[in-house]
Amino acid sequence: MKRVTAIVRPERMEPLKDALFAANVSGMTISQVHGCGAQHGWTEYVRGTEVLLNMVPKVKFEIVVGDDDVDGLVDIIIGAARTGEVGDGKIFVAPVEEVIRIRTGERGEEAV
């Protein structure tokens, strides 16, 4: 099993969520996060003083899938989240050693 973590633009949250539901991905965790990447934020003026805003709002999706489903899931995320501009985000894929459903005690892929 793998954990696919996608950090995307906030305005791409609904289209990505809809694309994941259309692909029958039902288990996901979505979090509002802040970070900085290649763009390093921007400057704004507040009451005549220059202020550097370097923490950009993003949305983080976390999904656990079987090893065979990773490539299809990554393609769905890229298709729904890509704008072609700096700041589109990143996708991270990491192994998951064990999953246990608390309610039933199921383990492994059955628990996902």
Side-chain angles (χ1 to χ4, degrees):
M1 288 176 291
K2 303 283 186 192
R3 177 184 325 183
V4 178
T5 302
I7 311 292
V8 301
R9 295 171 178 265
E11 62 268 20
R12 303 309 301 162
M13 182 179 78
E14 288 300 325
L16 177 54
K17 189 171 63 169
D18 293 343
L20 291 169
F21 283 143
N24 294 323
V25 175
S26 58
M28 66 184 84
T29 301
I30 303 172
S31 306
Q32 301 287 334
V33 296
H34 289 82
C36 62
Q39 68 268 40
H40 298 290
W42 64 94
T43 57
E44 285 188 5
Y45 289 92
V46 178
R47 297 185 185 149
T49 304
E50 185 178 73
V51 177
L52 176 63
L53 300 172
N54 60 358
M55 298 305 284
V56 181
K58 298 286 183 179
V59 176
K60 178 168 74 169
F61 283 77
E62 292 180 291
I63 304 159
V64 176
V65 295
D67 292 341
D68 297 337
D69 299 326
V70 171
D71 291 334
L73 179 61
V74 167
D75 290 341
I76 291 167
I77 294 169
I78 290 171
R82 178 183 283 165
T83 67
E85 301 293 324
V86 173
D88 276 351
K90 299 264 190 312
I91 300 172
F92 304 95
V93 179
V96 173
E97 290 185 26
E98 183 72 77
V99 176
I100 303 163
R101 184 183 309 262
I102 294 172
R103 179 176 54 87
T104 62
E106 293 172 301
R107 292 176 173 261
E109 299 236 2
E110 295 82 32
V112 175

